[in-house]
Amino acid sequence: MFKSLRTGTKLLLLCSVFVGALVVATYSLIAEKQIAINFVRKELVGVEYLEALRGVYADILTNKRGLPASTDEAARTLAEMESADFDQLDTRALEGALASMIDKLALTADADQRRAILVDALTAARRLASRIGDDSNLTLDPDLDSYYVQDIVVAKIPTLLSQIGELQSQLETLSPGNASTASLAVGVLVLDGMIRSTLDGIESDLQASYRGGSGAQLREALDGNVETMVSTGKSYLSAVKASLAGANDASALNRSYSSAVSSANDTWSVSLAELKRLLNARLSYLLGKLRSSLLLNGLLVALSIAFAVVTGRHIVQPLLKLERLADKVGQTQNYRLRTDYESRDEIGRLAAAFNTMLADLAAAREREATDAARQAAMRTELARAAKITTMGEMAASIAHEINQPLAAIVNNANASLRWLSQDPPNVMRARSVLERVVGDGARASEVISSIRGMLEKSGQDRTPLDVNDLIREVMTFVRADLRSHGIAVKTELAEALPLVSAVRIQLQQVLLNLIANAAEAMVAVEDRTRVLTVRSQKTDGSDILIAVADSGTGIAETDNERIFEAFYSTKPEGMGMGLSICRSIVEAHGGRITASVSPCGSVLIVSLPSDQLRQ
Amino acid sequence: MTENPEPIVFVIDDDASVRESLRNLLESVGLHAELFDSTQAFLDFRRPDTPSCLVLDVRLPGLTGLEFQNELLKLGIPVPIIFITGHGDIPMSVRAMKLGAVEFLTKPFRDQDLLEAVRVALEKDRGHRRDQKALASLQALFDSLTAREKEVIGLISAGLSNKQIATAMGISDATAKVHRANVMRKMEVRSLAELVRMADLLGVGEQSLLIR
């Protein structure tokens, strides 16, 4: 099936398969890149979320004394967070828990209860941050810098803030001279250690992140902040120790607390911004890569199409041109046409071979034409020779035909002269003999005019004539002669026949010839009556039939067709001209002559087209 | 046998009008013509014993005229033949003349030529018939001789004298003389020379020599 395809189609197929492969490759590339891009986008969502959460933290920590406004602010932020397109992160339950705690915080007046709720709220917030980190892929970040930054942002700073918040609330429990100072001191100590370890973790994370791609930029943006955060954190811890020792007053503690919180908050904010920057850089890098890949693939597709088109033009066009030329040569037989395509490739060689072939063909054609001309000349020569031979035969036959009546005329004329020159002149005999002369003269002239008519083969002298009249006429000539040979004559003429257009003398000749043949065929018949029947008839198809039937010896099956050939005779001394001439005459009149054998004798039928149409 | 029988001219030609015209021509000079359209019809015809000749068309259905001439010679029918033809050539006419044809005429011919030929042919036949008749009567005389007398005629025509004849036959001179006188009487001759000529016509001389 592939074989029968056109070359252009094949090229198109090849090209489209190639383009298809490219498209599939491009699609998978896009899909892969899309995964990475979506990954980054999700991370960005996480960053936004954390930014929002940062506000909640700030609200919780800075307004811990429980102003409804600040808790309202936090609740509103949370509600916004919910309504924003953070749906992709599975944080609803945690958000709800956090929100309810914030509500509770706002509604609760009792300080102790508020502190407990505050610690729970901070824990919930920390969990939410961690969940955000997990669900937004931030914790799975593949790059060194952004990974450690996200660790700071997602885990470390919220932890730090929670720890600081918890420590502060414990200290507040402590301050009015509570009895359980000892157990509280242990809790403070534990928290102090935890905060220090968190700060260490932040620092080590930061160091690790500097080893990433955009370390220098990170260092510039974060170094100062983190340093500040660590120092304020540590000074807050010192303030806590001093406060526990009773050396410090509450306001100093609060001051250092709020500066630690705000510094951590700032660092968080800057880190988030940096993380956002890193992620955006990655996103734009990925998008740029995708674009350039797409551009490259598009370029490849365009190139392959262009190449296919060019190839097609260089293969298909010349082939089409050759085909058209071949067609033209076939139609016009003009072998001097040539193709003007030139190239060193296969098609160029094919074109050259085609031109050579055409040149050979032209030469062969010329030879053939010369041969044909020579053969035609030879044929003409032969035909002329054959014609001369036939003409010689014809001439002898014609000479004989004319000589007979001429001899009779001369004899009769002499005889009548002698009758007249007798004393007394025998006028009676002379007259009867002269009548013979007239008859013979007419016969000679008929022979001549029929020969002329035959040679001219023209329909000029044709006249519309009634076949029945013709038959009656001929029968009057021959009736006596036939009777003298013991032949009974019957005529069966159809009435009201249409006329035929014919040369009268020629049809007479045909009829006479057929009757003479019929009579001759009956000479040998002794055992039955010799009957000659002449019939006229009209066929369904407006042809006129003249049938001459005899009760003679019939025609041998093998002779049936040949009797109409020239020089074929069944008679020992026959010239073989009679029926052949009859056929020529009948056919010249657009008719046919056929012979058939009946059980008693033969029937020769002349069919002539009637003149009906012209009447 | 009538003394002056009417001559007959036989005509064989397959063309009826030519046949008829020949009859007209011949009848115009008072000759009787019998017409035939084929050679067989002529052979079938009971020909009367009368001077006659044959006008024969060379081109005939069945045998050609020349072949028929041969046939007639074989059958011993010595009728003089005048050939007529539509297109004769010299070899054909030479052959015909060699076989004894009287004339070879090409159609259309002058009537005098044909009538002259017919006259010649009839004369020839007449002469032939006359010779035949004379010979027949001579033969009848000869047949009336005895065997001895026939022998004597042979010897006489050979030029032998009475004495020699007597010696040859072993008879006496006188007997030889008697035989000779009887022969002269029976053969109705008066001179010896006449007898010798008759013996010649009859071929007796040769015969007797051959016998000897």
Side-chain angles (χ1 to χ4, degrees), chain A residues 15-38:
Chain A
C15 178
S16 36
V17 165
F18 189 68
V19 169
L22 270 176
V23 165
V24 167
T26 311
Y27 176 76
S28 52
L29 182 104
I30 291 171
E32 199 193 335
K33 285 275 185 270
Q34 204 61 49
I35 288 169
I37 287 166
N38 284 338

Side-chain angles (χ1 to χ4, degrees), chain B residues 55-162:
Chain B
V55 176
L56 180 59
D57 190 9
V58 172
R59 188 160 146 177
L60 285 172
L63 295 171
T64 69
L66 292 174
E67 283 163 350
F68 188 59
Q69 185 185 22
N70 261 325
E71 183 95 2
L72 288 177
L73 284 176
K74 274 186 213 153
L75 291 170
I77 302 171
V79 59
I81 298 174
I82 300 152
F83 278 105
I84 54 172
T85 178
H87 50 97
D89 52 13
I90 292 167
M92 205 192 273
S93 58
V94 168
R95 232 182 89 203
M97 299 305 279
K98 268 191 179 168
L99 285 171
V102 176
E103 190 59 272
F104 196 98
L105 297 172
T106 304
K107 286 188 239 179
F109 37 77
R110 300 198 307 149
D111 59 340
Q112 298 97 312
D113 292 348
L114 179 80
L115 295 175
E116 177 60 18
V118 168
R119 195 190 61 74
V120 169
L122 286 175
E123 202 48 54
K124 191 177 171 188
D125 196 46
R126 247 183 229 116
H128 182 70
R129 284 172 180 281
R130 209 183 296 123
D131 289 351
Q132 284 297 105
K133 219 176 278 170
L135 199 63
S137 55
L138 212 59
Q139 190 69 45
L141 292 177
F142 184 68
D143 287 346
S144 66
L145 299 179
T146 63
R148 279 269 163 187
E149 285 163 358
K150 284 175 182 169
E151 202 177 335
V152 169
I153 276 193
L155 296 171
I156 289 169
S157 64
L160 272 65
S161 65
N162 283 345

Side-chain angles (χ1 to χ4, degrees), chain A residues 410-434, chain B residues 6 9 20-33 111-112 114-115 118:
Chain A
V410 170
N411 290 342
N412 282 329
N414 281 322
S416 69
L417 280 175
R418 281 170 196 281
W419 287 119
L420 289 174
S421 57
Q422 277 178 4
D423 192 22
N426 191 337
V427 179
M428 283 274 282
R429 284 304 295 266
R431 177 191 292 275
S432 82
V433 173
L434 279 174
Chain B
E6 192 192 6
V9 179
E20 284 296 332
S21 70
L22 283 170
R23 191 216 292 275
N24 288 334
L25 188 60
L26 293 166
E27 283 183 355
S28 70
V29 292
L31 284 168
H32 178 65
D111 59 340
Q112 298 97 312
L114 179 80
L115 295 175
V118 168

Side-chain angles (χ1 to χ4, degrees), chain A residues 50 126 129-134 136 138-139 149-159 268 272 275:
Chain A
L50 285 172
R126 191 157 55 84
S130 153
R131 173 63 63 87
I132 288 166
D134 286 342
S136 67
L138 277 169
T139 49
V149 173
Q150 70 80 23
D151 194 44
I152 293 169
V153 164
V154 171
K156 295 292 197 299
I157 293 181
T159 305
W268 198 3
L272 277 172
L275 182 58

Side-chain angles (χ1 to χ4, degrees), chain A residues 398-457:
Chain A
I398 289 164
H400 182 77
E401 287 296 316
I402 296 172
N403 233 353
Q404 296 292 94
L406 270 183
I409 288 167
V410 170
N411 290 342
N412 282 329
N414 281 322
S416 69
L417 280 175
R418 281 170 196 281
W419 287 119
L420 289 174
S421 57
Q422 277 178 4
D423 192 22
N426 191 337
V427 179
M428 283 274 282
R429 284 304 295 266
R431 177 191 292 275
S432 82
V433 173
L434 279 174
E435 277 164 5
R436 287 271 181 181
V437 170
V438 172
D440 289 332
R443 183 179 148 210
S445 121
E446 271 173 24
V447 168
I448 287 166
S449 58
S450 76
I451 288 164
R452 188 168 51 216
M454 230 167 56
L455 290 180
E456 282 172 359
K457 290 233 170 176

Side-chain angles (χ1 to χ4, degrees), chain A residues 225-255:
Chain A
N225 276 313
V226 170
E227 212 171 305
T228 315
M229 182 181 73
V230 170
S231 65
T232 53
K234 281 183 178 165
S235 63
Y236 168 62
L237 287 178
S238 316
V240 169
K241 267 183 193 155
S243 163
L244 279 178
N248 229 339
D249 63 349
S251 65
L253 177 68
N254 278 342
R255 243 192 340 270

